[in-house]
């Protein structure tokens, strides 16, 4: 497992936080550690999850990843 920090554009309220949490939680191989307005800290299983998967999930929630660290 590897910790990743996502910078997310378009989140402005606590409901956005809930949506992002929910979407990331659906992914097999992701443990959501913390989500705040504009960012998410997760742990990923690199065998199961890549950058593309994360970007798709956040798109699905209606937001956009602007950086992955
Ligand atoms: Mo809050 Mo977020 O009303 O897209 S859900 S701004």
């Amino acid at each position: 497992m590897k910790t990743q920090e996502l910078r997310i554009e378009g989140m402005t309220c606590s409901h956005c936080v809930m949506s992002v949490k929910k979407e990331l939680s659906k992914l097999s191989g992701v443990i959501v550690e913390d989500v705040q307005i504009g960012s998410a800290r997760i742990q990923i299983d690199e065998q199961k999850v890549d950058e593309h998967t994360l970007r798709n999930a956040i798109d699905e929630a209606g937001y956009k990843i602007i950086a992955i660290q």
Side-chain angles (χ1 to χ4, degrees):
M1 300 294 276
K2 169 179 155 186
T3 301
Q4 296 222 285
E5 185 84 24
L6 313 178
R7 293 270 143 213
I8 304 168
E9 191 177 70
M11 297 175 70
T12 52
C13 80
S14 60
H15 301 111
C16 300
V17 172
M18 293 304 294
S19 302
V20 167
K21 260 185 199 163
K22 190 177 160 194
E23 207 60 40
L24 288 172
S25 299
K26 285 186 198 169
L27 300 173
S28 166
V30 172
I31 295 171
V32 181
E33 288 193 332
D34 189 41
V35 179
Q36 293 188 16
I37 295 170
S39 68
R41 192 177 63 247
I42 60 177
Q43 280 191 45
I44 62 159
D45 178 341
E46 293 168 277
Q47 313 285 4
K48 293 186 182 171
V49 176
D50 62 9
E51 184 176 327
H52 188 68
T53 313
L54 297 175
R55 288 188 182 280
N56 277 350
I58 297 300
D59 278 358
E60 201 60 43
Y63 311 105
K64 189 167 183 284
I65 291 179
I66 50 175
I68 301 178
Q69 288 157 328

